[in-house]
Amino acid sequence: MKDRTPTARVDQDLCVGCELCLATCPDRTFSMDQGKARVTGDRCLACEHCVAVCPTGAVTLGAAEPHALDFTTFTPINEWLPPGDYDLPGLVALMRSRRSCRNYLPDPVPRDQLEDLVKIGTTAPSGTNSQLWTFTILPDRQAVTALGDRIGVFFRKLNAMARKAWLRKLTKLLGKGELDQYYREHYQSVSEAMEQWETQGIDRLFHGAPAAMVVGSRPGASCPAEDALLASGQILLAAHAMGLGTCLIGYAVEAMDYDPGIKDFLGIPKSEAVHAVIVLGYPDEKYQRLTGRRQVTPRYFHPAPQESP
Ligand SMILES: Cc1cc2nc3c(=O)[nH]c(=O)nc-3n(C[C@H](O)[C@H](O)[C@H](O)COP(=O)(O)O)c2cc1C
């Protein structure tokens, strides 16, 4: 568990007693004493909302690394944008324009771009502000194909098992229908993909991408998968803004779930979980138009009227 002992300090000379830190703090870490805010609670998320809200800079916390969000490939706007103070049409156009890219140019992705993307990933929210995500960068095509080959070993074994009708029946009888389901839904296309890779060098797993990123979590996070996937979402959008195409590769995550040796191969500690594999590179495709999504109809909840006693 993360240490939640408060480290916030309030400079009593600077504090103007506005109580904004009390109002914003999710952990009730502050209380008022003789018109000034003081740290009296015993828990703190280290979210730094108190630091962000203080009009005089009286609150300091020291939880965030000062250079953790120093970007090198672009000049950031280092000021807080109030709600509503952003180009919504532009943001939505970015969201709609990000598409999974399955055709890449061979050009390498500069490491500083990959590292900036990791930093952008860490701007995501995380359960109890744990920030226990991990990022493993595969910086070049050689690394990506090495992972592809290692994943191929797993799928070759899986396909050999799935081919056996008796084993599919037996595992199903034992209440484990996954092998049978895999056979029905994926066996054929995985077999074809492996054949194409071996005979023609066509990469249907990673789509020929020149870089990849594995997003995982260290133990102790309250919501490890959600944290990692939210970070991944930021990365996908920012990559598009940087001129990069991306694609999430669920097949690779699945393989790592079943075969921990793959994590080992990548130098990812056993204690870490993997939640997303993102391939990236400069896209070798261009779209002419936006396309839509399936219509969703939100459901509204209205509590039933209470009967008067
Ligand atoms: C969790 C997840 C796993 C995915 N796995 C794969 C994959 O293994 N291979 C692939 O080509 N695309 C994969 N995709 C991409 C989806 O096919 C894609 O997001 C979907 O078709 C919508 O298209 P868009 O991303 O271009 O909007 C995955 C997407 C998600 C969210």
Side-chain angles (χ1 to χ4, degrees):
M1 273 296 283
K2 203 172 137 221
D3 180 13
R4 290 181 66 175
T5 312
T7 56
R9 301 265 172 280
V10 183
D11 183 324
Q12 298 295 298
D13 294 333
L14 291 177
C15 179
V16 290
C18 65
E19 303 191 17
L20 291 175
C21 53
L22 273 73
T24 198
C25 177
D27 260 345
R28 298 174 196 275
T29 306
F30 302 91
S31 60
M32 295 305 287
D33 180 14
Q34 297 176 7
K36 303 273 184 181
R38 286 190 193 277
V39 176
T40 50
D42 59 359
R43 284 153 68 87
C44 167
L45 277 183
C47 62
E48 299 214 334
H49 287 210
C50 50
V51 175
V53 81
C54 181
T56 60
V59 188
T60 49
L61 210 140
E65 310 282 339
H67 300 294
L69 292 178
D70 285 355
F71 301 103
T72 54
T73 60
F74 62 99
T75 309
I77 300 168
N78 282 322
E79 64 187 60
W80 183 67
L81 300 174
D85 203 356
Y86 191 73
D87 167 27
L88 178 64
L91 177 63
V92 177
L94 172 71
M95 290 168 163
R96 293 187 67 192
S97 301
R98 177 225 54 83
R99 304 307 311 268
S100 295
C101 178
R102 299 186 180 89
N103 293 287
Y104 293 93
L105 295 169
D107 312 29
V109 181
R111 283 187 186 214
D112 51 2
Q113 269 192 329
L114 293 168
E115 286 172 23
D116 272 358
L117 284 172
V118 168
K119 290 175 187 171
I120 290 166
T122 69
T123 63
S126 60
T128 60
N129 193 30
S130 65
Q131 302 181 44
L132 287 170
W133 32 46
T134 62
F135 303 87
T136 305
I137 293 176
L138 285 69
D140 48 40
R141 182 71 193 144
Q142 203 188 351
V144 175
T145 51
L147 175 60
D149 284 336
R150 180 62 186 80
I151 289 174
V153 171
F154 163 77
F155 277 112
R156 215 164 289 118
K157 277 190 201 154
L158 184 61
N159 275 13
M161 291 201 305
R163 254 192 308 276
K164 294 180 176 125
W166 66 266
L167 188 59
R168 295 199 305 272
K169 262 190 201 148
L170 180 68
T171 49
K172 207 173 166 187
L173 274 174
L174 294 171
K176 295 198 182 290
E178 293 95 333
L179 193 64
D180 189 57
Q181 191 185 357
Y182 171 80
Y183 184 74
R184 280 184 280 112
E185 291 177 12
H186 300 291
Y187 170 83
Q188 192 58 37
S189 59
V190 170
S191 297
E192 283 167 18
M194 286 197 298
E195 157 103 29
Q196 284 186 334
W197 174 239
E198 281 154 19
T199 58
Q200 301 165 61
I202 296 172
D203 174 10
R204 281 184 39 200
L205 177 63
F206 292 142
H207 310 299
M213 216 180 264
V214 179
V215 188
S217 62
R218 290 200 297 274
S222 53
C223 309
E226 291 85 346
D227 300 349
L229 292 170
L230 286 164
S232 300
Q234 315 273 72
I235 290 171
L236 300 188
L237 283 181
H240 188 88
M242 274 182 185
L244 294 166
T246 56
C247 191
L248 286 162
I249 307 296
Y251 273 108
V253 178
E254 186 107 353
M256 289 188 214
D257 266 355
Y258 284 101
D259 181 351
I262 304 175
K263 284 197 302 186
D264 204 33
F265 177 74
L266 291 175
I268 298 174
K270 282 190 178 50
S271 57
E272 287 184 18
V274 165
H275 307 288
V277 173
I278 304 168
V279 293
L280 336 82
Y282 294 101
D284 189 14
E285 59 189 12
K286 202 171 172 184
Y287 295 115
Q288 302 299 328
R289 61 191 61 82
L290 294 171
T291 60
R293 285 293 199 224
R294 258 179 237 148
Q295 178 86 36
V296 288
T297 310
R299 181 184 292 125
Y300 285 91
F301 167 67
H302 298 290
Q306 297 280 317
E307 274 180 35
S308 45

